[in-house]
Amino acid sequence: LLHLADRFIDVPSYLSSSALHPAGSPADGIAVLFWWMTAGALLIWIVVVALGVYVVRAAPGDGRERQAKRLVLWGAALSTVVLTALLVYGLVLLPRTMAPAAADTLRVWVHGEQWWWRIRYQPAASPAFVLANEIRLPVGRPVEFLLESDNVVHSFWVPSLGGKMDLIPGRTNRLLVRPTRVGTFAGMCAEFCGRAHATMRLTVLVVPGDEFERWVAEQVAEPAEP
Amino acid sequence: MTPDIEPLEQAPPQEVRQAQEARLHTAWNPPTGWRYFSEVNNSAVGMWYTALTVAFLVFGGVLALLMRIQLAVPGNTFLEPDTYNQVFTVHGSVMMFLVAIPLFEAISILFLPAFLGTRELPFPRLSAYGLWAFLIGGVFLCGSILFGAAPNGGWFMYPPLTSRYEPGIGADMWLLGFSFIEVAAIAASVELIVGVLKSRPVGMRINLIPLYAWYVLVAAAMVLFAFPSLIAGSLLLELERAFDWPFFDPTRGGDPLLWQHLFWLFGHPEVYIIFLPSVALVAMMVPTFARTPIVGYEWIVLSAIGTGFLSFGLWVHHMFTTGLPGISLALFSAASMAVAIPTGVQIFCFLGTLLVGRVVRSVPLLFVFGGLATFVIGGLTGVMVAMAPFDFQAHDTFFVVAHLHTVLIGGTLFPFFAASYYYFPLATGYALSDRLGRICFWLVFIGFQVTFMPMHVSGLLGMPRRVFTYPSDPNLNLLNLTSTVGAFVLAAGFAVFLWDVLRPKRKQGHSPRNPWGSGTLEWLPELPAKPWGLRSIPEIDSRYPIWEQENFERDVDEGRFFLPDAEELKREMLVSSVIDARPEQCLRISGPTYVPLVAAIFTGGVFIFPTFKMWAWMAVSAVLALGAILYWLWTATALIPEKDEKYIGHGVSVPLYRSGPSSVGWWAMLITMLADVSAFAAVVFGYFFYWTLRPEFPPGGIAGPGTLWPAVALALLLTAWGLTFAARRWNATDQATFFYMAIAAGAALALGGAASLLAGPWTHHMMPSQHVYPATVWVLVAWTALHAVVGVVMQLYCGARRWAGRMSAKHDIDIWNTTLYWHFVALMAVVTVVVVAVFPRLR
């Protein structure tokens, strides 16, 4: 197997990325929602399969028809209750992802290219600067990504921080996140965008606030080549 | 007609019965030798259709294995990125368009007459036409991957990737090839709907219809409203690719999201179009193995209908990450969860049925339970991704790959395996092996779980869909390798199934009649089945006639019911009323003919030649296709019979010819036009999509079509419509001169109307490639003008029919159907003119 492995091309080294180990909001809320839903789903699945086993083994007898009808009615009623509860709980999370940006929000412009990410910062009162495939964020501060593309549809996704949002030609989409943990996280394009879609990835470095400010000052002083 | 007809007290004498059988044999026996392929009978066409679908399933499966080999280890170079992109595009497209949908149509063409206790479906040549179209289109699309020319933009074909970034013929092939196949699928749906509505046996009132037929009715109706949206979208996208009409180009007013709406307006109902007929198969098997009638028949029917309706309100859940407002997300989240309730009701009804009865264990039931355990997982992950916030993470990742395969394989492939083991004796006369069935089941079941369960995790660990490779990471590596191993186990199970189907079976002898002891009609035929199906067409007063009607098999076999004979040596079937199945007509249907094959070849040319920009060949092909279809109609449709009525037994005589709403042709026209109007509605939806999206639509500086020419066109087309209507009346009252004058004037005015429609944008120099506004106006007027021209052909056809003595005052199917068609043309003309001429004035 190792011999085979030698034949394979080099791939970028793995970066941490997991929707299940969140390092920001709303990924943390979504992960909790996921675990609740998974637990509930598992329970329901066990009940249905157990029912399946039971109905095959149960001997026919008096009153079975009434039981069968009751099974259908209770099944429908319980599904409705469970789904409604879940809907209410899940939708409460929605406003967090779509609220208007707060005053101290950092704005980062993300432009999808074929097949890389053009990242633009626009600090107040200083020139903009541009990077490729790398985003640096201060921990704890809300960030608004402004997502644009003038070629094909892409989708911006950093699983550790939050859900994804599409970059659609002719539109500007927003995505709000707030990193809660310092670290290096992987991002990727989630919407098929052509030949090298698989390698359209980016790195997100979440750093302490003062370190971020120093970095911005350096970038402004010496504009980076994209 | 009294509904409680009893079978004859005495069987007809032996020699009478033998003579009847000889005549039935002459009428129904399939041609032999190479002429066998001119057969149009449902049992032959359905069998080829099913076999072809399974062949495409194997092809799609091999592509899946190629993908799993590529993804077995990170950084694999087994497939080039371009090849990989073609492979996943073709895999998805083949499985959707060449497997999932045709499978239900193929099985229905094969068995629906048996479920309904009739001998044929009302339009055998239409089924054959659909089959040949499917073969030509399918082979064309699959073949392209061998030349590296296959589409590679994903089965969802999102522009601008597919409109401006995919040169080559791949995307054109997808758009045109699948439109061709979708037309064939709509044709099959027309056949199935009319089949369920109009060809039921005497007494099979609407509350006795077998559940399978109910489900097929719902699924086929969904095809009518879902597919046209994609056909319209494909038309717009192909116009952008071929002629630079900028429907999806935001720099000229277009919007890529319109495609996504049109695609998923088709794509989500599609899931239920696939799923419902598979549930239908389960609904037929469960009562047999529970030895008791189904629990909650009415609930199941209502749930199926409810699912059908709800499924048209879910499409946006495929677009949760496109930046839609929160209120849309919430509404579509709620609707997506609501659809789980009717689905649950159906499952609980099946479990309830098994609870009531004493369950007989069998291979089909094993697959049903494997499917249930799997499908429920998919249903639950479906509820999870229906939650918009969770979908932000899961969307377009391997989590969704796992979810959709769990739903489709659990909900469709397992029931298909179950039905294969269950119905194989009915189709071929031989049973499949129980032992191989169990081996197949465990390989498929375990292989499936090992393949797809890990994908839930790899998706949430950040593995997006449609990637040809992934970065090396201990977790991802292990998960992917596991999936690949599982895929091969699943494939091994499939190989066992194929061997079981293909292995020689002569030695084992024929299966006994009704081997599972079922109570439903489809198990009535002797095995192997005779070419005529049922010896006589029974009277039904139960959902489980074999269980509940005394001496049922004997009475049918001895010809004690209806139509036990074919006196004129013609293929005949009973047509009955929609609600209470009173016999209305004895319909003569076509025997073997090559016409559908020829028509399908030329229709194929109309769709295939434009792929290579061979416009002249396309025109030639279109003319030949029209010629073939006219020949088809002229020679064997709406023939005037030698007598008015025919005796079908039990003191009942029914007409041999009926026109208007009691004829099957009128229903077929109505249903076809509903699909046609849905496609038109999708184009109109496009106009108003831009209208609401862009405050400057129509944009300043670009002239509209004005009001003069559209108004003239509307006046001319409405007059032509009125004249068509008048022509029908004058034909019925035998005023031949008035009839011919109305036809001639109607045709002339219709042509004038079509030209005036086009004159609006033409005289105002509207350039379709300049902006999406002129492009949309051109599509609307061209659509309606084309329909008017087809209407002219139909008017002239009616004139010629009467002239040739093939239509008369009493025998007037052609003009009835033409009038019905013209109602829809009038509707489209009004909408088109109001949209293009009136709406610009409202801004």
Side-chain angles (χ1 to χ4, degrees):
Chain A
L1 207 69
L2 279 175
H3 264 308
L4 274 171
D6 284 343
R7 282 184 44 228
F8 304 136
I9 51 169
D10 263 341
V11 287
S13 67
Y14 174 73
L15 299 165
S16 158
S17 77
S18 168
L20 305 180
H21 299 96
S25 160
D28 47 6
I30 296 175
V32 175
L33 172 68
F34 166 77
W35 288 116
W36 273 111
M37 288 197 296
T38 306
L42 204 63
L43 188 69
I44 294 173
W45 185 78
I46 290 171
V47 169
V48 172
V49 170
L51 252 175
V53 173
Y54 175 74
V55 297
V56 170
R57 289 169 177 267
D62 290 342
R64 284 294 191 208
E65 297 212 11
R66 223 182 53 229
Q67 285 176 5
K69 294 204 163 150
R70 226 181 273 161
L71 168 71
V72 179
L73 288 176
W74 275 103
L78 277 179
S79 334
T80 312
V81 171
V82 170
L83 289 173
T84 311
L86 175 60
L87 189 68
V88 172
Y89 169 49
L91 291 184
V92 168
L93 282 175
L94 261 187
R96 264 166 77 182
T97 62
M98 345 199 72
D104 64 333
T105 301
L106 170 71
R107 305 183 102 189
V108 179
W109 279 260
V110 177
H111 204 99
E113 304 288 344
Q114 274 182 317
W115 291 273
W116 58 282
W117 303 94
R118 186 196 299 273
I119 312 295
R120 189 161 57 88
Y121 286 78
Q122 178 76 69
S126 46
F129 59 91
V130 176
L131 299 96
N133 298 337
E134 187 188 309
I135 296 178
R136 211 168 282 231
L137 301 173
V139 69
R141 189 171 150 196
V143 187
E144 181 182 42
F145 294 108
L146 294 150
L147 307 164
E148 291 175 343
S149 163
D150 62 4
N151 43 80
V152 303
V153 181
H154 302 275
S155 192
F156 176 80
W157 186 33
V158 184
S160 307
L161 298 183
K164 57 186 74 64
M165 183 57 77
D166 295 351
L167 293 72
I168 300 172
R171 287 159 193 264
T172 304
N173 275 336
R174 310 160 56 228
L175 178 68
L176 279 177
V177 302
R178 195 169 56 85
T180 50
R181 185 150 62 80
V182 168
T184 306
F185 306 102
M188 55 286 284
C189 177
E191 183 62 70
F192 180 67
C193 58
R195 188 173 186 276
H197 163 61
T199 56
M200 184 167 166
R201 300 175 66 89
L202 78 159
T203 309
V204 178
L205 299 112
V206 176
V207 297
D210 46 348
E211 196 183 320
F212 178 75
E213 294 306 329
R214 271 203 306 280
W215 176 77
V216 170
E218 278 170 27
Q219 300 296 316
V220 172
E222 191 185 336
E225 288 295 311
Chain B
M1 174 56 46
T2 52
D4 51 343
I5 281 182
E6 293 301 321
L8 297 178
E9 287 290 333
Q10 295 289 318
Q14 189 66 30
E15 62 275 13
V16 172
R17 271 157 53 193
Q18 277 170 355
Q20 288 176 340
E21 277 173 22
R23 284 190 289 269
L24 280 170
H25 197 82
T26 313
W28 290 93
N29 213 28
T32 49
W34 55 271
R35 287 200 62 241
Y36 178 57
F37 289 96
S38 66
E39 178 59 299
V40 294
N41 182 236
N42 75 289
S43 31
V45 168
M47 190 77 86
W48 306 333
Y49 218 139
T50 312
L52 193 56
T53 311
V54 172
F56 284 126
L57 175 62
V58 171
F59 179 77
V62 170
L63 295 180
L65 290 180
L66 294 180
M67 286 191 277
R68 277 324 315 172
I69 295 174
Q70 167 70 10
L71 294 180
V73 288
N76 200 345
T77 53
F78 174 70
L79 295 177
E80 292 290 310
D82 266 339
T83 314
Y84 186 87
N85 295 344
Q86 290 186 24
V87 168
F88 81 70
T89 302
V90 175
H91 167 78
S93 308
V94 162
M95 288 305 198
M96 282 294 177
F97 294 101
L98 303 183
V99 178
I101 291 183
L103 193 59
F104 115 71
E105 298 188 324
I107 294 176
S108 301
I109 288 173
L110 181 58
F111 289 139
L112 189 61
F115 281 116
L116 295 177
T118 179
R119 293 204 175 114
E120 239 303 8
L121 292 167
F123 309 106
R125 288 172 300 168
L126 191 62
S127 311
Y129 173 78
L131 165 79
W132 297 122
F134 174 60
L135 173 70
I136 295 167
V139 168
F140 173 64
L141 277 155
C142 294
S144 65
I145 201 165
L146 303 177
F147 304 97
N152 59 355
W155 86 282
F156 45 92
M157 292 286 289
Y158 279 6
L161 182 65
T162 50
S163 57
R164 289 188 294 145
Y165 293 82
E166 298 282 353
I169 60 166
D172 305 303
M173 205 175 290
W174 193 100
L175 294 166
L176 295 161
F178 283 123
S179 294
F180 179 45
I181 288 166
E182 284 146 24
V183 170
I186 291 176
S189 293
V190 172
E191 167 87 313
L192 297 176
I193 293 174
V194 181
V196 175
L197 293 181
K198 298 290 292 178
S199 49
R200 305 202 303 274
V202 178
M204 190 190 271
R205 293 186 311 276
I206 199 155
N207 60 326
L208 299 183
I209 297 181
L211 283 173
Y212 185 86
W214 269 116
Y215 275 104
V216 161
L217 191 61
V218 173
M222 290 169 68
V223 167
L224 295 184
F225 297 104
F227 277 42
S229 160
L230 180 59
I231 294 177
S234 300
L235 172 72
L236 301 185
L237 187 45
E238 184 56 31
L239 284 173
E240 174 156 351
R241 284 184 62 84
F243 306 113
D244 196 28
W245 293 20
F247 296 104
F248 308 108
D249 176 5
T251 62
R252 285 176 286 170
D255 187 8
L257 271 195
L258 175 62
W259 169 266
Q260 299 192 16
H261 282 292
L262 291 178
F263 184 84
W264 291 114
L265 204 50
F266 142 81
H268 200 81
E270 148 103 343
V271 175
Y272 291 91
I273 293 169
I274 295 166
F275 172 62
L276 289 177
S278 313
V279 184
L281 292 168
V282 175
M284 298 312 289
M285 289 182 267
V286 162
T288 301
F289 294 115
R291 296 285 183 263
T292 182
I294 196 96
V295 169
Y297 173 92
E298 294 84 359
W299 294 339
I300 294 179
V301 172
L302 290 175
S303 301
I305 295 172
T307 311
F309 273 103
L310 278 175
S311 71
F312 281 88
L314 312 179
W315 81 94
V316 167
H317 74 210
H318 297 267
M319 299 167 63
F320 277 160
T321 64
T322 55
L324 295 168
I327 184 73
S328 311
L329 301 190
L331 281 176
F332 280 95
S333 273
S336 309
M337 300 181 102
V339 79
I341 295 168
T343 309
V345 167
Q346 295 165 55
I347 291 176
F348 289 125
C349 284
F350 299 150
L351 291 178
T353 309
L354 292 167
L355 178 65
V356 171
R358 182 182 299 280
V359 177
V360 179
R361 297 183 197 193
S362 64
V363 170
L365 200 61
L366 193 58
F367 275 105
V368 166
F369 271 96
L372 177 75
T374 308
F375 174 78
V376 170
I377 299 175
L380 291 165
T381 55
V383 169
M384 294 167 80
V385 291
M387 284 308 315
F390 179 68
D391 188 60
F392 296 158
Q393 286 284 20
H395 181 68
D396 268 338
T397 69
F398 265 69
F399 188 92
V400 172
V401 176
H403 159 68
L404 82 94
H405 284 90
T406 312
V407 169
L408 290 180
I409 294 182
T412 297
L413 200 61
F414 276 93
F416 167 72
F417 276 126
S420 300
Y421 280 89
Y422 186 70
Y423 282 122
F424 203 77
L426 185 60
T428 66
Y430 296 99
L432 291 175
S433 151
D434 240 30
R435 197 176 55 90
L436 291 176
R438 278 171 215 283
I439 297 173
C440 165
F441 171 79
W442 286 110
L443 286 173
V444 169
F445 186 76
I446 294 170
F448 174 83
Q449 312 300 343
V450 173
T451 311
F452 289 99
M453 290 308 120
M455 289 187 189
H456 293 101
V457 184
S458 54
L460 293 176
L461 291 185
M463 185 150 164
R465 296 172 77 173
R466 297 146 191 154
V467 289
F468 63 85
T469 191
Y470 51 94
S472 180
D473 158 72
N475 294 323
L476 280 189
N477 297 359
L478 180 65
L479 291 167
N480 275 294
L481 190 60
T482 311
S483 288
T484 300
V485 171
F488 279 89
V489 176
L490 176 55
F494 202 85
V496 171
F497 170 72
L498 282 184
W499 161 246
D500 200 3
V501 168
L502 297 175
R503 75 190 161 81
K505 298 184 190 65
R506 298 222 183 263
K507 264 192 234 155
Q508 75 186 47
H510 287 296
S511 160
R513 190 174 189 172
N514 193 5
W516 311 102
S518 167
T520 39
L521 262 179
E522 76 272 20
W523 284 105
L524 196 47
E526 303 158 62
L527 298 182
K530 295 280 193 292
W532 55 73
L534 293 181
R535 183 59 183 76
S536 59
I537 307 302
E539 186 270 341
I540 300 297
D541 45 38
S542 154
R543 285 178 198 145
Y544 301 90
I546 299 183
W547 288 345
E548 293 170 359
Q549 289 181 230
E550 257 181 277
N551 298 323
F552 193 59
E553 280 183 8
R554 185 203 70 189
D555 293 344
V556 169
D557 287 355
E558 295 182 352
R560 299 191 192 204
F561 284 110
F562 292 102
L563 272 188
D565 202 346
E567 290 90 346
E568 295 88 14
L569 304 178
K570 293 192 158 105
R571 294 186 180 182
E572 289 166 331
M573 61 180 281
L574 271 190
V575 172
S576 51
S577 62
V578 173
I579 303 292
D580 48 6
R582 280 175 292 104
E584 284 190 335
Q585 186 191 355
C586 172
L587 180 69
R588 295 212 170 126
I589 43 188
S590 175
T593 164
Y594 285 113
V595 176
L597 175 58
V598 174
I601 290 173
F602 291 129
T603 323
V606 177
F607 288 91
I608 290 171
F609 286 123
T611 311
F612 305 100
K613 309 272 181 286
M614 295 158 75
W615 305 112
W617 285 98
M618 172 197 162
V620 171
S621 209
V623 171
L624 289 173
L626 182 66
I629 291 168
L630 285 176
Y631 176 84
W632 160 348
L633 295 171
W634 185 272
T635 50
T637 302
L639 296 180
I640 298 179
E642 76 286 355
K643 55 184 175 188
D644 283 346
E645 291 204 326
K646 170 158 178 152
Y647 183 69
I648 55 170
H650 297 267
V652 182
S653 287
V654 288
L656 280 163
Y657 188 109
R658 294 198 73 156
S659 51
S662 31
S663 77
V664 287
W666 188 89
W667 282 88
M669 175 62 82
L670 176 70
I671 294 162
T672 310
M673 291 317 289
L674 288 177
D676 190 39
V677 162
S678 324
F680 174 71
V683 179
V684 174
F685 171 81
Y687 185 98
F688 287 102
F689 181 80
Y690 299 125
W691 173 281
T692 39
L693 184 73
R694 312 238 180 265
E696 70 293 5
F697 186 93
I702 296 181
T707 43
L708 173 67
W709 282 115
V712 171
L714 186 61
L716 291 176
L717 289 174
L718 290 182
T719 317
W721 168 50
L723 283 169
T724 314
F725 194 74
R728 197 193 87 205
R729 302 289 290 271
W730 282 322
N731 177 66
T733 53
D734 237 348
Q735 290 167 283
T737 320
F738 281 123
F739 166 77
Y740 289 120
M741 279 167 55
I743 287 287
L749 293 182
L751 283 179
S756 314
L757 269 179
L758 300 175
W762 180 264
T763 53
H764 291 83
H765 307 289
M766 295 179 76
M767 292 294 299
S769 59
Q770 185 189 359
H771 191 272
V772 74
Y773 171 63
T776 313
V777 170
W778 269 111
V779 168
L780 280 171
V781 297
W783 179 282
T784 306
L786 180 68
H787 278 77
V789 171
V790 172
V792 170
V793 173
M794 293 172 69
Q795 289 169 327
L796 297 178
Y797 177 83
C798 290
R801 291 285 278 188
R802 186 171 172 122
W803 190 261
R806 285 169 179 262
M807 188 172 90
S808 71
K810 241 169 61 191
H811 301 103
D812 55 352
I813 289 178
D814 304 303
I815 187 72
W816 264 98
N817 293 355
T818 302
T819 313
L820 177 59
Y821 174 86
W822 266 94
H823 294 334
F824 286 93
V825 177
L827 174 72
M828 288 192 247
V830 170
V831 173
T832 303
V833 169
V834 168
V835 168
V836 304
V838 177
F839 269 85
R841 304 186 148 253
L842 301 181
R843 270 258 150 96

